[in-house]
Structures are given as structure tokens and as C-alpha cells.
Amino acid sequence: MKVPVACQTHASRLATRSSSVAWSSLVMALWLAQVGDARAKDPELSFERYRLDNGLEVILHRDNSVPIVAVDVWYHVGSGDEVAGKSGFAHLFEHMLFQGSQHVGEDRHFEVLKTVGASGVNGSTNTDRTNYFEVVPSHQLETALWLESDRMGYLLPILNRKSLDNQIDVVRNEKRQRIDNVPYGSSYMELYAALYPEGHPYHHSVIGKHEDLASATVADVVGFYETWYAPANATLVIAGDFETTAVRLAVQKWFGSFPLTSKPAHRSAAVPEVTRTRKQVPDAFAKLRQITYAWHTPAAYREGDAEFDILADVLASRTGRLEKILVQDRQLAQRVSARQTSQQLGSYFQVSALVKSGADLGLVERIMKEEIGKVVAQPVSQREFDRAVVGYEARFVWRLESLIARAETLHGYNHYLGDPGSITRDLDRFRKSSPSKVQSFAAKHLTKDKRIEILTLPTAAASTS
């Protein structure tokens, strides 16, 4: 399952690494298990989970092999929880929480962490959640807990119109840099709008609309903070080098005095019923035409979600069918891609081709439709299936070298499945699938009558295509 990170801001995200040899051995074991039809022992992330009286959920993962510790907070609010006219607020808050809090001071978060030797600091927002993390030397754990607790409980005393305007300008500029003024950015927006009609929680992009951001008031921000940034709507993961008794006392010290809160209600929505739609998007920044097909698919971790990850590999990995035909053999496309974007209220699967100058667009689309038609009509080969599954397992285990990735893994399973210890459950989604299951879900979801087609045209070509 891949949860899309819509934007990553602030300081560099430096992954911490430990026990490389051990993780390398696990990768090899998983590979041998796959090809030898045996069962290797899955990696395990030991954890302890409990709640404070105020509702804050805490997950501890102890690893004393390296003297570092990751502090990672998820607030269970994303752009899917926003209401009409206030798009982009979840992401705006990601920025606001780095602006400053009462006891830390204004714009000092990074300065403090730099001083104590942090090796990774960042935040991100997607449709379903917002996270904040820092990786620090283990003897600086309480510094990180202090920073996170202060912005959880003491943001409002220094919130003012000037600081809000500053971050609104930053976010709007980020939108210009990432979406408005980059190739294919406008097509990304059109894809979301076509997949999710007005009123659906996912209709707008995570970064929001300029007009909504510009109209945000201090009262709006206060309301959002008081609703979503309550302890009961947050999960704190501490991973790394610590003693359990001491860290429990530290968590109680920095977070335990916050008042009891209730968990806010989240928006829900059915998967939209869409009909086949084709949109041409003129793009002044694009140099090559791009064609994207997209369909609604099962939500994160639901039946079929893993099968579309497998199908993405079959179609567009380095050994994928479209890669071989369109890029390598016939050289009609500069690149191809396919991905399953897994989300809480419903996912989507997309296939894209960046068409070379002078290549026949109609031919490219015919080939795309033919290859998609083949996986709908008959199972992928066992070799293709095995390669995709082993690749997923290998990437998964390699990722666990990073301490912050382990914290995020625990968070993800806890958020979507309610159980941080779901590694085997996750991997089994792939191992217990089959070529016939991939075909079955492809046939159910990749139908012509529900396909969204986005054709990006360089401005010069827009008037003639």
C-alpha cells in the first residue's frame, strides 16, 4: 500500500540507518522463500501501545542498537476532512505548526533541533492525515517531546494575523512551484476533479485553492486547531534508543497535563459513480504530450488494493509490458508509469505515457488499451506475478532500515488497520494473491465506461489536436 504524500516541506528529510546487514539478510530470506515456496520469518517491529487519560495514543518501538530516537506525531486529519471553501487548511496547518508556539518562540523549531544535532526534521500532509517528526540523538529525546507537546497545546497564544499571512504566502507560493507553474501540474488537478465530483472530500488537491487560502482568517485557524489538534485525535510514536520506564514518565510529563478531549468525527463518502470522461488540458510548461488513464479502485488495504500494486508493476516497471513495448522496443514514449494511489475513502489506479515528439498518439493509445485489455481478459503470467510480489517484499524490508520509516510503518498500520503489528497481514495480501485474482479485480474495475482520460497538450499543440 502506498499512501501518497502530497507535499513535503521544511528541512531535509535525512533517513537514519541501522543494522544494514540484518535487513539485507531478511531481504535475501524473503526472496528465497518466494522462489523456494517456503515461508521465511517476516520482520517484526516490537511495540507497546497505550493511551493517556486525555486520549493521546502512544506507541513505543525500542531499538537500542544506535543512540538515536525518532519522535513522530500523526494528527488524524487530512485534506479529506476539509469543508467547502476551506480547502488546503490541513496542509496550511502543517506549516503553521513550524511557525512557533508559546514556550518555544516564533520560528525557532528548526533552530532548536539543529542545535541538538537532529538528523531528520519534516512534516507532510495527505488526504487522510498530517505528520510531524524529528530524529535526534537519544539523549535529546525530551527536547523533541517538549517541541511536539508545545505545539500540540500552546500554538494559539502566539497566533496572529502576521504569522498566518506569512504561512499563507508560503503555501500559495509552494502551490505555484509544485502545481501551477510546472509541467503536467494542471493535469493533476483535472484528474482529481474528474475522479471526485464537487462535494466529495477528495475533490480538491491537498494543497488547496488559492482563493480559499487567501480568505483564511485567524478565527478559521483557531477553529481548525481546536477541532483536529486535540490529544484524542493524535498518535505519538517514539522509536529508537530509550528505556521504557523513563520514556513513559517523559511522555506523561510533557503530554499528560493536557485536558481530556474527544475524537472528532471524520467525513465519509461513497466511491463516486463516474462515467467515461476525456479532457484535453493545454499546458504552457509541458514539452511533450501525456496521456493518462485512471479508474476508481478499492480503498487502502481493502480487497483488491494489493492486486493493483501488482498490476502497476506488471505494466510499467522496468520489465513491464508497456515499458517494453512503448519505451524500449517501439520508442513511442519517453516514459510510462502506473500506480495505485491508496487512500482511506477510495483509491485510484492510473496509467500514463509521456509521448515522444512526432510519435503517433493514436497508436500509443491503442497499445495502452490493448495491454490493459489483455490483463482484463486473462491472468498475468506467474513469472510477472512472482517478480512483482518479491519486489514489493524487498522494497518493504529495505525501507525498514530507516528508523523514521519504522515509526511511519507503525503509524500507517495503526491508522488504517487499527493494529500497528500488521506486517505479516500486509505482506500476506500480496503472497496470498494470485494471477487470477489480479485479473478478476482488473476486469471489475478497469472498465471502459468508467475510465477517466486526461490528455495533456503543449500549448502550441492544443489548438490543433
Side-chain angles (χ1 to χ4, degrees), residues 159-444:
L159 175 65
N160 54 56
R161 186 70 234 185
K162 179 180 178 182
S163 62
L164 176 58
D165 286 341
N166 177 57
Q167 291 307 316
I168 288 173
D169 288 344
V170 170
V171 172
R172 294 186 66 195
N173 191 53
E174 182 181 339
K175 184 175 187 294
R176 296 183 187 102
Q177 291 179 328
R178 291 175 176 264
I179 295 178
D180 297 345
N181 299 320
V182 297
Y184 314 106
S186 54
S187 294
Y188 165 78
M189 300 289 282
E190 288 288 350
L191 177 62
Y192 251 77
L195 283 167
Y196 302 104
E198 191 76 43
H200 191 280
Y202 292 166
H203 175 69
H204 57 272
S205 71
V206 173
I207 205 164
K209 300 176 181 178
H210 283 292
E211 58 270 26
D212 290 351
L213 294 166
S215 65
T217 66
V218 172
D220 290 333
V221 173
V222 171
F224 194 91
Y225 180 79
E226 291 179 339
T227 299
W228 297 107
Y229 277 71
N233 196 46
T235 301
L236 166 67
V237 171
I238 302 173
D241 181 35
F242 59 79
E243 296 300 324
T244 302
T245 300
V247 83
R248 274 177 163 265
L249 290 172
V251 170
Q252 182 64 32
K253 171 184 174 181
W254 292 109
F255 295 90
S257 63
F258 294 150
L260 174 66
T261 58
S262 57
K263 196 172 182 65
H266 292 265
R267 297 181 68 189
S268 61
V271 176
E273 288 290 333
V274 299
T275 57
R276 182 179 177 183
T277 301
R278 186 177 179 91
K279 292 190 174 183
Q280 292 190 6
V281 182
D283 192 328
F285 301 97
K287 300 300 181 184
L288 297 175
R289 295 160 294 169
Q290 178 177 269
I291 182 67
T292 296
Y293 295 160
W295 301 260
H296 284 290
T297 50
Y301 292 105
R302 298 289 182 87
E303 286 278 335
D305 181 39
E307 280 72 18
F308 282 103
D309 276 327
I310 293 169
L311 186 57
D313 187 278
V314 169
L315 289 174
S317 68
R318 289 188 177 182
T319 55
R321 297 182 183 186
L322 290 174
E323 169 74 19
K324 186 175 189 306
I325 297 172
L326 291 176
V327 178
Q328 298 174 15
D329 292 349
R330 305 192 67 168
Q331 298 185 19
L332 295 168
Q334 188 75 20
R335 66 171 182 266
V336 297
S337 63
R339 67 175 297 176
Q340 165 78 343
T341 298
S342 303
Q343 303 173 124
Q344 193 164 321
L345 299 179
S347 308
Y348 65 92
F349 181 76
Q350 70 180 74
V351 181
S352 298
L354 195 61
V355 184
K356 283 191 171 183
S357 296
D360 185 339
L361 174 65
L363 177 58
V364 170
E365 291 203 64
R366 283 197 296 274
I367 292 171
M368 290 174 65
K369 292 171 184 176
E370 286 173 6
E371 293 305 316
I372 292 167
K374 288 177 183 178
V375 299
V376 166
Q378 59 190 33
V380 302
S381 73
Q382 190 66 47
R383 181 181 178 84
E384 290 173 312
F385 176 85
D386 290 343
R387 183 172 55 227
V389 173
V390 170
Y392 180 86
E393 289 182 291
R395 290 188 298 274
F396 177 87
V397 176
W398 279 119
R399 182 174 175 268
L400 295 181
E401 286 187 359
S402 164
L403 190 59
I404 190 60
R406 279 179 257 165
E408 284 286 289
T409 298
L410 292 166
H411 264 307
Y413 291 147
N414 185 61
H415 178 92
Y416 289 97
L417 298 173
D419 180 7
S422 295
I423 286 179
T424 294
R425 177 179 174 183
D426 182 11
L427 294 176
D428 276 350
R429 296 186 304 136
F430 294 82
R431 295 186 294 225
K432 293 182 178 181
S433 186
S434 65
S436 61
K437 283 186 177 180
V438 174
Q439 179 205 356
S440 176
F441 282 106
K444 180 178 180 180

Side-chain angles (χ1 to χ4, degrees), residues 63-253:
D63 178 359
N64 300 113
S65 60
V66 177
I68 55 176
V69 63
V71 174
D72 189 12
V73 181
W74 274 30
Y75 292 92
H76 301 279
V77 55
S79 62
D81 295 297
E82 297 161 355
V83 297
K86 301 188 188 302
S87 67
F89 271 44
H91 173 244
L92 175 62
F93 247 83
E94 178 201 326
H95 285 256
M96 291 301 299
L97 260 69
F98 284 96
Q99 180 74 27
S101 51
Q102 182 177 4
H103 304 103
V104 176
E106 188 170 353
D107 202 23
R108 293 194 67 244
H109 192 94
F110 293 111
E111 179 185 338
V112 171
L113 287 168
K114 181 180 179 180
T115 300
V116 303
S119 57
V121 186
N122 216 325
S124 66
T125 309
N126 65 28
T127 54
D128 304 325
R129 63 96 183 108
T130 307
N131 80 330
Y132 305 87
F133 72 84
E134 45 274 319
V135 181
V136 298
S138 52
H139 67 281
Q140 294 292 344
L141 170 59
E142 285 211 48
T143 301
L145 294 178
W146 166 61
L147 290 169
E148 292 299 343
S149 69
D150 205 55
R151 58 185 178 183
M152 179 180 287
Y154 302 99
L155 175 76
L156 296 184
I158 69 167
L159 175 65
N160 54 56
R161 186 70 234 185
K162 179 180 178 182
S163 62
L164 176 58
D165 286 341
N166 177 57
Q167 291 307 316
I168 288 173
D169 288 344
V170 170
V171 172
R172 294 186 66 195
N173 191 53
E174 182 181 339
K175 184 175 187 294
R176 296 183 187 102
Q177 291 179 328
R178 291 175 176 264
I179 295 178
D180 297 345
N181 299 320
V182 297
Y184 314 106
S186 54
S187 294
Y188 165 78
M189 300 289 282
E190 288 288 350
L191 177 62
Y192 251 77
L195 283 167
Y196 302 104
E198 191 76 43
H200 191 280
Y202 292 166
H203 175 69
H204 57 272
S205 71
V206 173
I207 205 164
K209 300 176 181 178
H210 283 292
E211 58 270 26
D212 290 351
L213 294 166
S215 65
T217 66
V218 172
D220 290 333
V221 173
V222 171
F224 194 91
Y225 180 79
E226 291 179 339
T227 299
W228 297 107
Y229 277 71
N233 196 46
T235 301
L236 166 67
V237 171
I238 302 173
D241 181 35
F242 59 79
E243 296 300 324
T244 302
T245 300
V247 83
R248 274 177 163 265
L249 290 172
V251 170
Q252 182 64 32
K253 171 184 174 181

